[in-house]
Amino acid sequence: MDETYRGGLELLCDSKKIHNVNIEQQNGEDKLTMKDLLSWIRTNLIKERPEMFMKGDTVRPGVLVLVNDCDWELSGQLNTSLEEKDVVVFISTLHGG
Amino acid sequence: MSASEWEILRELDALKEAKATIARKISALEAQLKQIQLQNDAASNAFSSSSYSTNGLTQDMIHRYSRHLMLPSFGVQGQANLLKSSILVVGAGGLGAPALLYFAASGVGRLGIVDHDVVELNNMHRQVIHTEAYVGKPKVKSAAAACRSINSTIQVVEHQEALRTSNALEILSKYDIIVDATDNAPTRYMISDCCVVLGKPLVSGAALGLEGQLTVYNYNGGPCYRCLFPTPPPRTACQSCADGGVLGVVPGIIGCLQALEAIKIAASVGEPLSGRMLLLDALSGRIRIVKIRGRSMQCEACGENSTFTQQKFREFDYENFTETPLCVPPVKLNLLPSESRISSKEYSEIILKKEPHVLVDVRPAHQFKIVSLPKSMNIPLSTLEVRLPEVSSALKKEEENSGAVSGSSAQLYVVCRRGNDSQRAVQYLHKMGFTSARDIVGGIESWAHNVDPKFPTY
Ligand SMILES: [Zn+2]
């Protein structure tokens, strides 16, 4: 699975924008969801200031989540199920000009 | 600066101003003359101009916009719509600059510009509509003059004021399409809400660093800004171009795309970028267009049960909502007791007296490379924790070098750009046992202001 961080979010994980990750299924569940991915990211990828990326068990306000170039609002947010080779992009909204 | 220098500069300014005024008069008179000549020609001609079918476009218009008219998908109808349209650009900065140039050139009938700021040299790398002659002058004046010099036949309206809830309804209601070319979160929410209550489409662009974003809000049943971002981001997540930096051409690209979207809407051609968002990653050369959610039924501004009215808009506190002031003054923290801080002047005396000390500059490495104080060591704040041993050994070395002479221990000072991070660093250093650490109030900016005006600022 590919993950991309944009709009400054890459600064939170060693300035690396694209991460290729392989997540093991936990507790015998057969479907991996966005909720699982976020908790995996929080433990394994975010190096500093987790509050800049997450709030509670979801992303913080101002972060758009795209699963295969589509807003996760359209696929069930945290319940979006993920498959092999899905591309997840996290974008922090920009305000500058 | 000497009095004679001052005198010359003032005279130069006055002459430049006079030159610009004369240039404006010349181009206006020339346009007027051409118009009269055309009318005379038409009168002397056996055919009156009204006997030709031109869809309301004059001979001048047909000539000027001929390359638009030649486009089958744009054509006379598109151009006629554009000439009848009105567009308001909020912000004459990096995004607004190219957008305004194209709006003027392409013949938007009435073009409004809102900005309260003045032209600054350190913004000119991206605000390409402004010229050096306008540094220190209102951006609105500069941008309007540039638009008029490109196209004297359109109407350019100057709104030289900051957009606020008290004036936004009145200003925005006079235009068909709004372009958000601003640079901060509260203004973005305010413009979107105002467009919702007035029912205006909003072409929204943003850029920072090497990335840009573009979408059209509140168009034909599409989402508004609040549908996408119902809760404002934490203030710490909102970087500005002044703090984060921005490659000039990046807002330039987004501003051009904003012009394209607004022109499409004004001319009623093509598919506006509504319900979709364009993401530009300039560094890797990637543009992604993603599908975003539609209008949210629960949206506070445009949802089904929304009670957001013009009255409510006028009373809404956007600064409080986003915890960000509308006009962003640099934050000045005050985290330390005064005995843990020294002024830049005091520090300059420490250097002159050759008192043993270590100066740690906690700015990011790329900023340290721009300019730094003599003999300072760069330990960015984010790495301070792991590099504490370097601080200890630097202090020890300084004491060995000079300790025999002065007999006192070496002092530890911390500096940054404006004096906020240096306080955070000193707080941390105190905690870690460096109890005598002190920070330089106001950072290197204060050094430039109060010690050495030749020190470069950025
Ligand atoms: Zn909405």
Side-chain angles (χ1 to χ4, degrees):
Chain A
M1 191 184 322
D2 278 340
E3 289 169 45
T4 310
Y5 296 84
R6 296 267 196 82
L9 290 178
E10 68 277 8
L11 296 175
L12 306 176
C13 17
D14 279 351
S15 297
K16 222 180 117 187
K17 274 193 184 180
I18 299 177
H19 298 253
N20 234 307
V21 303
N22 218 328
I23 301 170
E24 292 293 315
Q25 304 288 29
Q26 286 166 355
N27 7 311
E29 303 237 349
D30 41 272
K31 275 266 182 254
L32 184 78
T33 64
M34 274 304 300
K35 194 176 172 155
D36 303 326
L37 177 66
L38 283 178
S39 81
W40 184 89
I41 290 172
R42 180 161 200 160
T43 354
N44 296 284
L45 276 185
I46 301 287
K47 297 280 164 70
E48 46 188 290
R49 294 179 294 165
E51 74 281 1
M52 292 291 283
F53 180 62
M54 294 192 62
K55 191 177 180 186
D57 63 353
T58 189
V59 293
R60 69 152 169 84
V63 173
L64 277 184
V65 183
L66 304 160
V67 180
N68 298 325
D69 283 348
C70 203
D71 190 342
W72 76 337
E73 280 284 327
L74 303 168
S75 56
Q77 290 183 320
L78 286 168
N79 299 322
T80 309
S81 56
L82 297 171
E83 281 162 27
E84 189 84 35
K85 291 187 180 157
D86 275 349
V87 179
V88 182
V89 181
F90 299 97
I91 294 159
S92 177
T93 171
L94 304 176
H95 302 100
Chain B
M1 198 182 299
S2 71
S4 58
E5 258 182 287
W6 216 107
E7 196 52 46
I8 291 172
L9 283 174
R10 217 173 49 176
E11 199 169 337
L12 270 174
D13 262 354
L15 285 171
K16 279 178 192 165
E17 183 103 45
K19 187 179 162 192
T21 311
I22 290 170
R24 270 201 301 277
K25 275 190 192 150
I26 289 176
S27 80
L29 284 173
E30 278 172 350
Q32 224 179 318
L33 182 64
K34 205 165 172 203
Q35 198 66 42
I36 292 167
Q37 285 171 341
L38 281 171
Q39 278 163 6
N40 289 346
D41 284 356
S44 65
N45 201 311
F47 303 98
S48 84
S49 57
S50 60
S51 67
Y52 301 113
S53 159
T54 58
N55 275 295
L57 299 192
T58 64
Q59 185 185 27
D60 255 5
M61 288 169 175
I62 289 173
H63 187 60
R64 184 189 279 265
Y65 306 116
S66 59
R67 271 49 171 177
H68 278 175
L69 308 181
M70 296 296 285
L71 281 169
S73 54
F74 196 82
V76 172
Q77 195 55 56
Q79 188 64 45
N81 291 343
L82 199 56
L83 287 161
K84 274 185 236 128
S85 74
S86 54
I87 298 180
L88 179 73
V89 178
V90 188
L95 298 163
L100 283 163
L101 294 174
Y102 277 104
F103 288 144
S106 64
V108 169
R110 188 157 44 85
L111 185 53
I113 313 167
V114 185
D115 207 306
H116 67 282
D117 234 338
V118 294
V119 177
E120 288 177 84
L121 193 64
N122 60 1
N123 283 328
M124 286 185 64
H125 75 292
R126 70 180 188 283
Q127 301 178 0
V128 294
I129 198 168
H130 308 301
T131 52
E132 287 179 4
Y134 278 93
V135 169
K137 301 206 169 82
K139 281 190 194 170
V140 161
K141 290 253 172 286
S142 165
C147 289
R148 289 187 188 115
S149 67
I150 288 171
N151 192 341
S152 59
T153 68
I154 62 160
Q155 198 190 336
V156 179
V157 187
E158 301 172 19
H159 302 277
Q160 194 189 318
E161 54 197 314
L163 202 68
R164 306 206 162 270
T165 48
S166 53
N167 62 8
L169 286 163
E170 199 204 324
I171 296 175
L172 267 65
S173 62
K174 291 180 193 143
Y175 297 87
D176 305 329
I177 300 162
I178 314 301
V179 173
D180 185 345
T182 63
D183 61 0
N184 63 80
T187 310
R188 288 180 181 276
Y189 277 99
M190 177 169 74
I191 293 173
S192 175
D193 289 351
C194 193
C195 285
V196 168
V197 296
L198 293 171
K200 310 267 182 193
L202 170 62
V203 181
S204 178
L208 183 71
L210 287 138
E211 292 180 27
Q213 296 169 355
L214 169 84
T215 189
V216 174
Y217 291 118
N218 202 42
Y219 176 81
N220 239 347
C224 80
Y225 189 61
R226 273 193 204 246
C227 292
L228 224 60
F229 305 108
T231 315
R235 191 179 172 178
T236 43
C238 301
Q239 257 198 335
S240 70
C241 293
D243 290 334
V246 60
L247 193 73
V249 65
V250 173
I253 293 164
I254 299 296
C256 284
L257 289 168
Q258 286 182 280
L260 172 64
E261 290 306 313
I263 287 169
K264 276 158 59 184
I265 297 171
S268 317
V269 301
E271 288 170 73
L273 196 79
S274 164
R276 293 177 292 157
M277 184 180 275
L278 181 145
L279 308 165
L280 167 70
D281 179 352
L283 208 52
S284 69
R286 284 194 180 88
I287 292 178
R288 216 184 249 272
I289 291 166
V290 299
K291 191 167 162 35
I292 53 175
R293 69 201 72 172
R295 172 160 291 181
S296 159
M297 292 300 141
Q298 285 83 46
C299 177
E300 292 243 355
C302 74
E304 234 170 2
N305 303 315
S306 164
T307 54
F308 210 88
T309 57
Q310 298 201 4
Q311 187 54 36
K312 206 171 161 202
F313 171 79
R314 269 193 210 96
E315 289 158 4
F316 198 89
D317 186 343
Y318 288 91
E319 300 189 323
N320 189 34
F321 176 59
T322 56
E323 293 172 13
T324 312
L326 281 162
C327 302
V328 192
V331 197
K332 275 201 166 38
L333 293 177
N334 216 338
L335 302 174
L336 299 173
S338 56
E339 62 268 24
S340 294
R341 313 196 69 186
I342 63 165
S343 71
S344 52
K345 264 223 150 63
E346 288 169 309
Y347 179 69
S348 70
E349 280 151 26
I350 287 164
I351 296 185
L352 288 176
K353 287 190 214 143
K354 297 201 164 67
E355 286 181 24
H357 74 278
V358 167
L359 177 64
V360 174
D361 187 326
V362 292
R363 289 176 295 155
H366 67 280
Q367 285 191 31
F368 185 77
K369 274 186 202 153
I370 301 173
V371 61
S372 60
L373 288 172
K375 286 196 199 159
S376 52
M377 63 188 287
N378 183 218
I379 303 184
L381 183 59
S382 59
T383 64
L384 185 57
E385 202 175 332
V386 291
R387 293 177 62 181
L388 273 184
E390 290 176 48
V391 178
S392 311
S393 59
L395 281 168
K396 215 167 143 196
K397 207 170 138 201
E398 181 75 3
E399 272 162 28
E400 279 164 13
N401 288 348
S402 52
V405 187
S406 67
S408 64
S409 60
Q411 297 296 307
L412 175 58
Y413 300 105
V414 180
V415 72
C416 65
R417 185 179 178 194
R418 296 194 180 115
N420 288 338
D421 277 352
S422 60
Q423 294 184 64
R424 295 190 179 99
V426 166
Q427 264 189 336
Y428 176 73
L429 287 165
H430 285 176
K431 212 174 74 192
M432 299 311 288
F434 297 85
T435 48
S436 68
R438 281 183 277 181
D439 93 307
I440 298 177
V441 178
I444 55 166
E445 281 195 357
S446 161
W447 181 273
H449 269 112
N450 304 315
V451 179
D452 181 7
K454 290 218 168 62
F455 189 83
T457 53
Y458 54 90

